[in-house]
Amino acid sequence: NIMKELSGLEVYEQKLKTKFNLRKVIVVPGNSDIDLGVKQELGKACVHFLKRIIKDNMIISVTGGSTMSAIADEMIPMENKDCLFVPSRGGLGEQVENQANTICVEMARKAKGNYRLLYVPDPISESSYRSIIKEPVVKEVTEYIQNADIVIHGIGEAMTMAERRKMSKNQLDQIKKSNGVGEAFGYYFDKSGQIVHKVRTVGLQLEDLESIAHVITVAGGASKADAIESYFKLGKSNVLITDEAAAIKLVKG
Ligand code: BG6
């Protein structure tokens, strides 16, 4: 009975909204850990939500990852004038198809918007970082990122992300030892929401989120429940788009 199922998801939406003190929660059916189609549904839900809030001249900043890539797949023309898509941060050691720059271009094209990209190596040394942020082109894009109206981002499990980014054994051990469970924007969090590690890269910093009107978190799969929970301890997002499997675990936990 579809009606019954729908109302079941709405119950989760309501519970998560209260739990994390959010403006909006959308829960799609299924578990994206085992069904790739569910990731596409997260993508669709995000695009529809974006369509409702986007206005002319807005800046939309996006991160990388396979969930974000599914959003790019589902992107539709936005018909808003002069919207600008930018990556949230410099390269975070992802494969090209999962990189924020790649996703940013695809989203902008499909949404009929503009884009600016950020080419910064990762990891980056302290001294290169200091000089690269002074480059006019990097500075310009960084300013767009800080003035974004909308941020759309993914969340990952800490160890999955650390391994995917090919971190050194030392760093992996350190994140494990400090009980890192979640990752977003290159920040690693433990269960209580404490930052246990941070990747040095150019672009959006966690504190920038406070002044951004719409922060949309898109993450699903039962395996990400702890990661989602750890991220929301900091409460820097307004909207969560997730799936049923993650929602069930989050509500129980
Ligand atoms: C990365 C983002 O590219 O994608 C991360 O920079 C995020 O912050 C991750 O945790 C999520 O990846 P996926 O593939 O699980 O959507």
Side-chain angles (χ1 to χ4, degrees), residues 107-145:
M107 280 193 185
R109 287 205 173 128
K110 289 188 172 165
K112 308 235 175 288
N114 310 305
Y115 62 84
R116 296 300 305 274
L117 302 179
L118 200 54
Y119 293 106
V120 182
D122 163 54
I124 186 170
S125 69
E126 181 70 38
S127 60
S128 305
Y129 173 80
R130 282 187 195 288
S131 58
I132 212 162
I133 52 171
K134 293 194 194 110
E135 288 295 333
V137 59
V138 171
K139 239 177 139 177
E140 191 197 348
V141 180
T142 309
E143 270 164 27
Y144 287 134
I145 294 169

Side-chain angles (χ1 to χ4, degrees), residues 117-204:
L117 302 179
L118 200 54
Y119 293 106
V120 182
D122 163 54
I124 186 170
S125 69
E126 181 70 38
S127 60
S128 305
Y129 173 80
R130 282 187 195 288
S131 58
I132 212 162
I133 52 171
K134 293 194 194 110
E135 288 295 333
V137 59
V138 171
K139 239 177 139 177
E140 191 197 348
V141 180
T142 309
E143 270 164 27
Y144 287 134
I145 294 169
Q146 278 156 353
N147 289 308
D149 303 285
I150 302 174
V151 170
I152 311 175
H153 75 98
I155 294 179
E157 273 181 288
M159 289 319 284
T160 307
M161 290 312 299
E163 276 161 25
R164 207 160 98 184
R165 288 176 177 150
K166 307 208 167 29
M167 285 191 169
S168 68
K169 170 118 186 16
N170 259 350
Q171 283 173 324
L172 286 176
D173 288 346
Q174 188 236 316
I175 293 173
K176 210 180 261 171
K177 232 175 65 201
S178 43
N179 300 314
V181 290
E183 184 280 342
F185 304 105
Y187 291 81
Y188 290 77
F189 309 96
D190 69 10
K191 246 194 138 120
S192 65
Q194 294 292 323
I195 297 166
V196 297
H197 180 77
K198 172 182 187 268
V199 178
R200 190 194 301 111
T201 183
V202 178
L204 195 126

